[in-house]
Amino acid sequence: MRRGLVYGTLAYGLWGLFPFFFKQLQHVASLQVVLHRMVWSLVFVLLVLAVLRRWAWLGDVRQRPRLLAIFAASSALLACNWLTYIWAVNNGHVLDASLGYFILPLVNVALGFLFLHERPRPTQWLAFGTASAGVLWLALLTGHVPWIALALALSFGFYGLIRKLAPLGALEGISLETLLLAPVAAAALLWSQHSGTLPAQDTRTWLLFALSGPVTAVPLLLFSAGARRIPLSTMGVLQYITPTILLFLGTLLYDEPFSGPRMAGFALIWTALLLYSADSWRHHTRPVSA
């Protein structure tokens, strides 16, 4: 239990600190960063698989075209999420990224209702409605839908839904996803390099490209290790670490505006999360009758 708490806290904490890393690549186009992230993530997970000697699952996957199709879809969603996140961080929208991950638990409730026939409790519906009011308020405030936040929440929500239904562990899953993404990414990088559309990068940038592999994979592995050791309700509370860190980074370090009207939109969403968390905690800790 204690080790699971440590793993879970580290995973969500590292995800919250991602802006420190990706802002070092602010001088590189977001798409190029994502393409390198795909390639170097594959390099890292292949090294991990080699150390652990966990190759047997690959033979089974090759004989299951439906599973490959499922992971092709999850790979596409993961690529969209990575691209949106990196673009947001490197273009002064860390608060929008924070908002997306605050909304994510409520998106999961909606997806569970639509696709898994789960029945949200009345308090969860109230939380979902309150969060929707917050999103609508932010849309009216800015004059447009907060697309960054919604793109992050929806892409990762659907990604989580697919991974929930796909029978592969965290390491095997991210390995298969990067196996599907990396060849496309490598081909795009080689074509861009050959056509001269990619500027030359210095040694420090190439080192950061290579580090993007472990930076991507390590939190996912920590998350998987934590999720196996502690209750889902505890992981549900820990997941707020990531957007909270992003909120503080956006306001205190990167000086993004967080005025009264925008704060009101966040306050509605935080109220929704309090309702959702309190209901989930009460439900999971309720004694089971004999």
Side-chain angles (χ1 to χ4, degrees):
M1 178 73 174
R2 186 179 303 170
R3 189 177 297 178
L5 281 170
V6 171
Y7 290 155
T9 302
L10 283 174
Y12 285 116
L14 288 172
W15 277 326
L17 296 174
F18 267 13
F20 284 121
F21 178 82
F22 287 109
K23 275 191 176 292
Q24 303 303 310
L25 290 165
Q26 203 165 11
H27 60 288
V28 182
S30 299
L31 179 58
Q32 185 182 357
V33 174
V34 171
L35 294 174
H36 275 284
R37 189 179 183 184
M38 294 172 183
V39 172
W40 292 104
S41 293
L42 175 61
V43 172
F44 180 77
V45 295
L46 288 179
L47 288 173
V48 174
L49 288 171
V51 170
L52 299 178
R53 298 181 179 178
R54 285 167 63 173
W55 303 106
W57 60 275
L58 279 171
D60 182 54
V61 165
R62 285 199 300 267
Q63 301 171 14
R64 300 173 65 183
R66 183 174 179 274
L67 184 64
L68 286 172
I70 290 172
F71 272 89
S74 72
S75 301
L77 288 166
L78 194 60
C80 292
N81 183 270
W82 287 357
L83 180 59
T84 305
Y85 180 86
I86 291 172
W87 186 91
V89 166
N90 288 346
N91 287 274
H93 294 284
V94 174
L95 285 180
D96 289 318
S98 170
L99 177 65
Y101 290 110
F102 275 126
I103 295 173
L104 178 59
L106 303 168
V107 168
N108 290 336
V109 171
L111 293 178
F113 172 72
L114 292 172
F115 296 99
L116 302 179
H117 308 293
E118 296 176 353
R119 293 183 176 272
R121 295 179 290 276
T123 306
Q124 291 180 319
W125 279 121
L126 178 60
F128 184 80
T130 305
S132 300
V135 172
L136 179 61
W137 170 258
L138 290 169
L140 294 172
L141 172 68
T142 59
H144 60 81
V145 175
W147 68 269
I148 294 173
L150 290 177
L152 288 172
L154 289 171
S155 61
F156 205 76
F158 276 102
Y159 171 77
L161 176 67
I162 290 175
R163 288 299 306 271
K164 182 179 177 68
L165 301 174
L168 280 183
L171 177 58
E172 292 81 2
I174 193 65
S175 299
L176 181 54
E177 285 162 351
T178 52
L179 275 169
L180 294 170
L181 289 172
V184 178
L189 288 170
L190 289 172
W191 178 83
S192 300
Q193 191 72 37
H194 179 72
S195 63
T197 57
L198 285 182
Q201 304 294 347
D202 57 20
T203 303
R204 178 178 176 276
T205 300
W206 276 100
L207 177 60
L208 290 169
F209 285 154
L211 285 174
S212 68
V215 164
T216 297
V218 168
L220 285 170
L221 298 176
L222 287 169
F223 171 80
S224 176
R228 288 196 300 267
R229 290 172 169 83
I230 59 178
L232 186 62
S233 58
T234 306
M235 290 298 285
V237 174
L238 291 179
Q239 72 182 342
Y240 299 133
I241 293 173
T242 298
T244 301
I245 293 174
L246 291 174
L247 176 68
F248 282 116
L249 289 179
T251 54
L252 301 179
L253 186 62
Y254 301 126
D255 297 320
E256 293 186 19
F258 194 57
S259 58
R262 192 176 196 184
M263 190 181 297
F266 269 78
L268 282 170
I269 291 162
W270 291 332
T271 301
L273 292 176
L274 285 173
L275 290 169
Y276 170 81
S277 299
D279 180 78
S280 298
W281 186 266
R282 181 166 54 86
H283 178 75
H284 285 291
T285 57
R286 181 184 300 166
V288 178
S289 58

